[in-house]
Amino acid sequence: MIVLLPPSETKAAGGTGASLTTAGLGYPGLAVARSRALAALDRLVAAGQDVSTPAKARAAADNAAVRTSPTMPAVERYTGVLYDALDAGSLAPAARRWVDEHVVIQSALLGFVRAGDLIPAYKVSEHSKLPGERMRELWAHAGDELSGFALDLRSKAYAQLAPVAGAVPVEIVSPEGKALNHWNKAGKGAFVRALAESGAEAGSADALVAWAAEASVPLTRTDAGLRLVVQDPRLAAATR
């Protein structure tokens, strides 16, 4: 089983790992696409980037140093609501190993990366315009590198950017059955944390639902995939 996560716009600064080595990333079949994306980013940097605000200046600096800046595990590089709820850095060693073995994050710059892959800070999203490249064309076949049961927690935009055949999407809803926005991300992070802490293994959606029943996680089958109920919006507590 793999768990597909979206990236985040915000990223932690710094790192203690050596500079980016694409040969060290998971899914080596994406090497050509990664080289094209990085070359396009080089062209963007050379053409000049918007530095009109402190946030944009930092993003421009990150992009300019993407090949030389220090790295850190992808699951720690990404920040924001989902990754705060997952809080991989606080997991016990066994649960953290589960994350490194099962979680796959989709980067607009590097394609699919494993949770433990060492990546730099950068500012590229699915909406970015990289000179000479189209995001949809760049990553259209990236999903071919993945195999086995895939639990899809990505946003629709990223799922469309790099389709993964057979991936099972998860809908996050309130106890009343209403779609959520902010708490959607928190619920996803809490769900992945629960999977990691239990060491969950499942080869199908039905097997995952069976695990959820034993773990008291409100996860059910739907015609479209799976549905997870977030019980407490303040804590996104989908894992009780």
Side-chain angles (χ1 to χ4, degrees), residues 161-221:
L161 184 63
V164 176
V168 178
V170 180
E171 177 188 20
I172 311 292
V173 300
S174 71
E176 296 75 31
K178 295 181 179 180
L180 301 172
N181 41 42
H182 173 84
W183 302 112
N184 174 307
K185 295 179 180 179
K188 289 176 179 178
F191 180 42
V192 177
R193 186 178 180 91
L195 289 167
E197 290 180 330
S198 71
E201 297 290 348
S204 68
D206 287 337
L208 190 62
V209 169
W211 163 84
E214 293 183 1
S216 298
V217 172
L219 183 74
T220 57
R221 287 298 304 268

Side-chain angles (χ1 to χ4, degrees), residues 3 7 15 25 42 44 56 63 84 87 108 113 131 140 143-144 146 150 154 162 164 182 187 195 215-216 226 228 230:
V3 180
L25 299 178
D42 290 341
L44 179 67
K56 290 179 179 179
N63 284 343
D84 288 348
D87 194 11
V113 296
D144 296 345
L146 307 182
R154 296 175 296 169
V164 176
H182 173 84
L195 289 167
S216 298
L226 295 169
L228 178 68
V230 172

Side-chain angles (χ1 to χ4, degrees), residues 22-120:
T22 56
L25 299 178
Y27 308 108
L30 300 180
V32 172
R34 287 168 176 157
S35 294
R36 287 170 52 189
L38 287 165
L41 183 61
D42 290 341
R43 293 192 292 271
L44 179 67
V45 170
Q49 300 174 84
D50 185 354
V51 294
S52 59
T53 67
K56 290 179 179 179
R58 176 188 167 184
D62 285 343
N63 284 343
V66 75
R67 295 180 185 270
T68 58
S69 59
T71 57
M72 69 173 66
V75 75
E76 297 175 21
R77 177 66 73 189
Y78 297 109
T79 61
V81 176
L82 189 159
Y83 290 93
D84 288 348
L86 171 55
D87 194 11
S90 71
L91 289 170
R96 179 53 187 269
R97 285 194 297 273
W98 189 98
V99 168
D100 290 345
E101 293 170 1
H102 293 81
V103 171
V104 176
I105 303 169
Q106 183 183 346
S107 162
L109 179 64
L110 300 169
F112 292 110
V113 296
R114 300 167 302 194
D117 283 347
L118 299 176
I119 66 170

Side-chain angles (χ1 to χ4, degrees), residues 149-168:
F149 170 53
L151 185 66
D152 199 343
L153 297 177
R154 296 175 296 169
S155 62
K156 289 183 178 179
Y158 275 94
Q160 292 172 352
L161 184 63
V164 176
V168 178

